[in-house]
């Protein structure tokens, strides 16, 4: 273990680094104010877990749809205008929550989220390779880990807003609390059974009191839209800052301007084993992250008997672990190879998932929270390993890794289906569903092993 003494960020790149790193909290906020909407929309619209998980499908579908067009846009114009357009789409998507709430249509919210994340895809396709290029290649992964450490700050703010300004103020949550208080016998039942009875009571209320239910639904949708409108205004302000600031060129930014045919480049990237395997590993990582952070609320409510707001507090604690661990990992990368550290953290994540699945209850919930400390290293480290040595046309290579975020669209609906189906008799539905993220951590462990012992990185 030899310490790397190269500077992470040079003095001449400090201001650009800060400006670009300031983008990272923006998608952290969007990610984590959206996660609780899966449970909120399930109760507001009275839909299944599978249907409500379409929130994450729509949100992360934007990455899959926009990543390659984003890279081509940046290649044709510039990184600066990639940031500007990304911020514009972010703000427009957030503002579309206004008509979605007015019409009370679940699908309109899904469309708004997809447009919002098209903007996020542009921002991430721009920011990640730009950060990597702001200094020595030997410190690139550490530099990206440092920039990514600002992402949880936005996530924490998003969780705080979701918990205190959304979940605590939903009329549907108050209905569930009143119904639970009116039936003291629920205290003697398993939390999963109580959760089902409260959902049944809500559905019965919608049938017997349709007007009151519609008013309650409309009020809750207004509550949900308010933070999105506020962040849209903030993003519009930032858009003008980046529009008038001149970002310096780097070697990667300059190489993206070369008139190189795309087909040979795509073939070259596909034939690059560390890059190809890194894209696949990133799919599994993002899927695991989104499943753990989205369904922690379901787990807390069904396995421990918490309210939605109380379960969200555990999400906030998980994000605090994630943030602290990211700074720790940035330091540890001075001494450990990135691939080796990634393998150790992936093994720890899979082990904690075993406790979530096979032990359950409070132990499972605490293990689920602790998993965030293991995940903190993964996204930027996989990203840095996959892009190692790919200086030319980094925006195209970066797009493949950003497109991998579509794992967050594909896997939550599968987890929702497992919860609805409850396929394993000796496990609760929520416990069984976390077999999926456990397998994701196993896949990341295999990738890290290959990086260290096969590819020798």
């Amino acid at each position: 273990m030899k310490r790397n003494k190269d500077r992470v960020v040079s003095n001449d790149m400090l201001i650009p680094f800060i400006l670009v790193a300031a983008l990272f909290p923006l998608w952290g906020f969007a990610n984590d104010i959206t996660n609780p909407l899966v449970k909120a929309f399930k109760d507001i619209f009275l839909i299944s877990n599978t249907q409500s998980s379409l929130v994450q499908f729509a949100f992360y579908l934007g990455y899959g749809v926009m990543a390659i067009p984003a890279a081509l846009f940046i290649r044709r114009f510039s990184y600066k205008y990639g940031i500007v357009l990304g911020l514009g789409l972010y703000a427009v998507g957030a503002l579309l929550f206004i008509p979605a709430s007015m019409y009370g249509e679940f699908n309109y919210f899904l469309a708004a989220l997809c447009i919002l994340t098209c903007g996020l895809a542009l921002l991430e396709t721009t920011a990640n390779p730009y950060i990597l290029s702001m200094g020595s290649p030997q410190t690139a992964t550490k530099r990206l880990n440092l920039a990514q450490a600002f992402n949880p700050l936005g996530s924490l703010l998003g969780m705080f807003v979701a918990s205190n300004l959304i979940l605590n103020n939903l009329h549907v949550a108050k209905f569930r609390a009143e119904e639970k208080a009116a039936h003291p016998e629920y205290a003697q039942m398993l939390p999963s059974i109580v959760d089902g009875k409260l959902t049944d009571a809500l559905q019965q209320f919608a049938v017997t009191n349709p007007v009151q239910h519609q008013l309650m639904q409309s009020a809750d949708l207004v509550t949900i839209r308010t933070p999105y409108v506020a962040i849209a205004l903030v993003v519009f302000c930032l858009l003008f800052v980046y529009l008038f600031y001149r970002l310096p060129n780097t070697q990667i930014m300059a190489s993206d301007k070369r008139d190189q045919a795309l087909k040979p480049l795509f073939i070259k990237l596909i034939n690059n084993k560390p890059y190809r395997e890194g894209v696949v590993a990133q799919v599994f990582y993002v899927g695991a992250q989104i499943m753990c952070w989205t369904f922690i609320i379901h787990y807390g409510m069904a396995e421990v008997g918490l309210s939605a707001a109380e379960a969200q507090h555990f999400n906030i604690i998980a994000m605090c672990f994630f943030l602290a661990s990211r700074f720790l990992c940035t330091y540890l990368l001075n001494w450990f190879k990135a691939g080796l550290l990634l393998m150790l953290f992936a093994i720890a994540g899979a082990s904690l998932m075993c406790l979530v699945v096979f032990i359950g209850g409070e132990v499972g919930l605490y293990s689920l929270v602790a998993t965030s400390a293991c995940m903190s290293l993964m996204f930027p480290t996989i990203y840095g390993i996959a892009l190692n040595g790919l200086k030319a046309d980094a925006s195209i290579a970066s797009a493949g890794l950003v497109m991998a975020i579509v794992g967050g669209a594909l896997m939550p609906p599968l987890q929702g289906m497992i919860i609805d189906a409850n396929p394993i008799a000796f496990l609760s539905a929520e416990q069984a569903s976390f077999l999926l993220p456990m397998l994701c951590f196993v896949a990341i462990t295999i990738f890290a092993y290959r990086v260290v012992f096969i590819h020798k990185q």
Side-chain angles (χ1 to χ4, degrees), residues 107 133 162 167 188 214 299 340 366 384 411 424:
N107 289 335
S133 71
L167 297 179
Q188 309 302 320
Q214 187 174 10
Y299 197 93
L340 178 60
Y366 298 149
M411 296 187 191
I424 302 177

Short mmCIF file of all heavy atoms in Angstrom, two decimals, residues 107 133 162 167 188 214 299 340 366 384 411 424:
data_model
loop_
_atom_site.label_atom_id
_atom_site.label_comp_id
_atom_site.label_asym_id
_atom_site.label_seq_id
_atom_site.Cartn_x
_atom_site.Cartn_y
_atom_site.Cartn_z
N ASN A 107 -49.71 9.05 -14.31
CA ASN A 107 -48.84 8.97 -15.49
C ASN A 107 -48.21 10.32 -15.82
O ASN A 107 -47.10 10.36 -16.37
CB ASN A 107 -49.62 8.45 -16.69
CG ASN A 107 -49.97 6.98 -16.57
OD1 ASN A 107 -49.29 6.23 -15.87
ND2 ASN A 107 -51.04 6.55 -17.23
N SER A 133 -10.84 14.68 -15.39
CA SER A 133 -9.79 15.31 -16.21
C SER A 133 -9.11 16.48 -15.52
O SER A 133 -8.15 17.03 -16.05
CB SER A 133 -10.40 15.79 -17.53
OG SER A 133 -11.24 16.92 -17.32
N ALA A 162 -38.42 15.55 2.07
CA ALA A 162 -39.42 14.50 1.89
C ALA A 162 -40.06 14.12 3.22
O ALA A 162 -41.28 13.92 3.31
CB ALA A 162 -38.77 13.27 1.25
N LEU A 167 -43.98 13.79 3.67
CA LEU A 167 -44.56 12.65 4.37
C LEU A 167 -45.31 13.04 5.63
O LEU A 167 -46.38 12.50 5.93
CB LEU A 167 -43.47 11.63 4.69
CG LEU A 167 -42.76 10.99 3.49
CD1 LEU A 167 -41.69 10.01 3.95
CD2 LEU A 167 -43.77 10.28 2.57
N GLN A 188 -51.18 -5.84 18.75
CA GLN A 188 -50.84 -7.24 19.00
C GLN A 188 -50.56 -8.00 17.71
O GLN A 188 -50.25 -9.19 17.76
CB GLN A 188 -52.00 -7.92 19.75
CG GLN A 188 -52.47 -7.18 20.99
CD GLN A 188 -51.37 -6.97 22.00
OE1 GLN A 188 -50.55 -7.87 22.23
NE2 GLN A 188 -51.33 -5.80 22.62
N GLN A 214 -61.24 12.17 -2.81
CA GLN A 214 -60.68 12.96 -3.91
C GLN A 214 -60.08 14.26 -3.39
O GLN A 214 -59.02 14.69 -3.86
CB GLN A 214 -61.75 13.25 -4.96
CG GLN A 214 -61.19 13.92 -6.21
CD GLN A 214 -62.24 14.06 -7.30
OE1 GLN A 214 -63.42 13.83 -7.07
NE2 GLN A 214 -61.82 14.42 -8.49
N TYR A 299 -39.84 -1.60 4.23
CA TYR A 299 -39.27 -2.53 5.20
C TYR A 299 -39.55 -2.05 6.63
O TYR A 299 -39.96 -2.84 7.49
CB TYR A 299 -37.76 -2.65 4.97
CG TYR A 299 -37.12 -3.85 5.63
CD1 TYR A 299 -36.97 -5.04 4.93
CD2 TYR A 299 -36.64 -3.80 6.93
CE1 TYR A 299 -36.37 -6.16 5.51
CE2 TYR A 299 -36.03 -4.90 7.53
CZ TYR A 299 -35.90 -6.08 6.80
OH TYR A 299 -35.31 -7.17 7.39
N LEU A 340 -9.38 -3.20 -5.04
CA LEU A 340 -9.35 -4.00 -3.81
C LEU A 340 -10.34 -3.44 -2.79
O LEU A 340 -11.10 -4.21 -2.16
CB LEU A 340 -7.94 -4.02 -3.23
CG LEU A 340 -7.76 -4.78 -1.91
CD1 LEU A 340 -8.14 -6.26 -2.09
CD2 LEU A 340 -6.33 -4.65 -1.40
N TYR A 366 -31.47 -2.22 10.78
CA TYR A 366 -30.16 -1.62 11.07
C TYR A 366 -29.12 -2.06 10.05
O TYR A 366 -28.25 -1.26 9.65
CB TYR A 366 -29.71 -2.01 12.48
CG TYR A 366 -30.61 -1.51 13.59
CD1 TYR A 366 -30.75 -2.24 14.78
CD2 TYR A 366 -31.35 -0.34 13.45
CE1 TYR A 366 -31.59 -1.79 15.80
CE2 TYR A 366 -32.19 0.10 14.46
CZ TYR A 366 -32.31 -0.63 15.63
OH TYR A 366 -33.15 -0.18 16.63
N GLY A 384 -14.47 5.40 -12.25
CA GLY A 384 -13.06 5.69 -12.49
C GLY A 384 -12.30 4.51 -13.07
O GLY A 384 -11.46 4.67 -13.97
N MET A 411 -34.72 -2.51 -11.84
CA MET A 411 -34.77 -3.42 -10.68
C MET A 411 -35.82 -3.10 -9.63
O MET A 411 -36.40 -4.03 -9.06
CB MET A 411 -33.37 -3.52 -10.06
CG MET A 411 -32.38 -4.15 -11.02
SD MET A 411 -30.78 -4.49 -10.28
CE MET A 411 -29.84 -4.89 -11.76
N ILE A 424 -41.66 -16.65 -1.22
CA ILE A 424 -40.94 -17.59 -0.35
C ILE A 424 -41.70 -17.71 0.97
O ILE A 424 -41.83 -16.74 1.72
CB ILE A 424 -39.49 -17.13 -0.11
CG1 ILE A 424 -38.76 -16.99 -1.45
CG2 ILE A 424 -38.76 -18.12 0.80
CD1 ILE A 424 -37.35 -16.47 -1.34
#
